Amino acid sequence: MAGDTIPDSWRSVLEPALASAEARKLGGWLKAEEAAGKQVYPPRGTRLAALALTPLDEVRCVILGQDPYHGPGQAHGLAFSVQAGVRVPPSLVNIYKELEADLGLPRAASGDLSRWARQGVLLLNNTLTVEAGQAGSHAGRGWDAITDAAVAAVAERDVPTVFILWGSHAKKKASRIPALTRNTAHLVLTSAHPSPLSAHNGFFGSRPFSQTNAFLEANGRGAIDWAL
């Protein structure tokens, strides 16, 4: 994981996972893949952007993704987000449609969700890298232990937090976090994934944004401004 520094607010809770044999193997494997000429997204220095933009003590909401976008110029370290100027991907288009239906907010032209991240929305993928053009290619290579530790660290805090789980993959990840499954102080919202393949099976109409804000305001944590 050369070129990516663990932000200070996350360092202590992630150190055990980072010191594991699994994490060391991951780092060596990524170096070998890049040395072999394979294109890995997002680029070095941005793979931990979700943690850098959303310090642990500022997390109000967690949105779990699966792995980064695998097209050129798309991934920049935040789940579901793409860099400004890049065409908005289909899943994010559907997220914007639900946001408009839920809160009446117009659909943004940009797919950059950094503004959400800076307000305490942890946009965390389960796997933080991917080979160009190969969706899911880095799954099972060791990122799970690190991202599990990050989600567990949020869940273990005695601060009411919202966890938004879209699709079966995100739900399975949450089930591996004992602190999340037992902590009733949190709000866990689940629905179908916003992908065009599944959005009509329960994502549309799920109203996650208004539910998140109602919970946060009721617990004195303030509403998130979802406008982009």
Side-chain angles (χ1 to χ4, degrees):
M1 289 170 284
D4 291 272
T5 303
I6 302 295
D8 289 342
S9 72
W10 291 94
R11 190 179 304 277
S12 63
V13 297
L14 295 183
E15 276 181 349
L18 292 167
S20 68
E22 189 176 14
R24 291 195 298 271
K25 185 176 180 180
L26 167 66
W29 180 79
L30 283 173
K31 288 181 182 178
E33 289 288 283
E34 292 179 308
K38 293 184 179 180
Q39 180 69 57
V40 176
Y41 296 135
R44 290 187 184 190
T46 64
R47 293 168 186 173
L48 301 179
L51 304 180
L53 288 178
T54 312
L56 176 57
D57 60 358
E58 295 180 15
V59 176
R60 293 191 282 166
C61 174
V62 179
I63 297 179
L64 292 177
Q66 190 163 343
D67 64 346
Y69 295 119
H70 53 82
Q74 291 182 305
H76 64 133
L78 303 178
F80 296 102
S81 180
V82 292
Q83 299 186 76
V86 175
R87 183 179 179 182
V88 179
S91 290
L92 186 53
V93 168
N94 285 340
I95 290 171
Y96 285 172
K97 287 179 180 178
E98 179 61 18
L99 180 60
E100 182 178 37
D102 190 2
L103 296 178
L105 295 174
R107 301 176 201 176
S110 171
D112 185 353
L113 304 180
S114 298
R115 189 171 185 272
W116 291 0
R118 293 191 179 96
Q119 293 184 75
V121 181
L122 180 63
L123 297 163
L124 187 69
N125 279 315
N126 185 52
T127 301
L128 300 186
T129 55
V130 69
E131 182 181 344
Q134 301 292 326
S137 52
H138 290 188
R141 289 290 181 175
W143 281 118
D144 299 52
I146 297 168
T147 54
D148 277 4
V151 175
V154 176
E156 288 167 359
R157 296 170 64 230
D158 188 22
V159 183
T161 303
V162 181
F163 291 81
I164 297 178
L165 313 178
W166 289 327
S168 59
H169 193 276
K171 295 172 190 175
K172 288 177 183 176
K173 184 173 184 65
S175 71
R176 298 201 302 267
I177 312 298
L180 176 55
T181 55
R182 70 168 180 261
N183 193 331
T184 56
H186 303 315
L187 174 65
V188 180
L189 299 175
T190 63
S191 76
H193 194 276
S195 162
L197 297 174
S198 57
H200 289 281
N201 294 327
F203 173 75
F204 289 134
S206 60
R207 304 183 67 86
F209 307 103
S210 59
Q211 290 190 72
T212 293
N213 278 353
F215 177 83
L216 292 174
E217 289 186 299
N219 285 279
R221 302 207 66 196
I224 292 163
D225 181 359
W226 296 101
L228 293 168

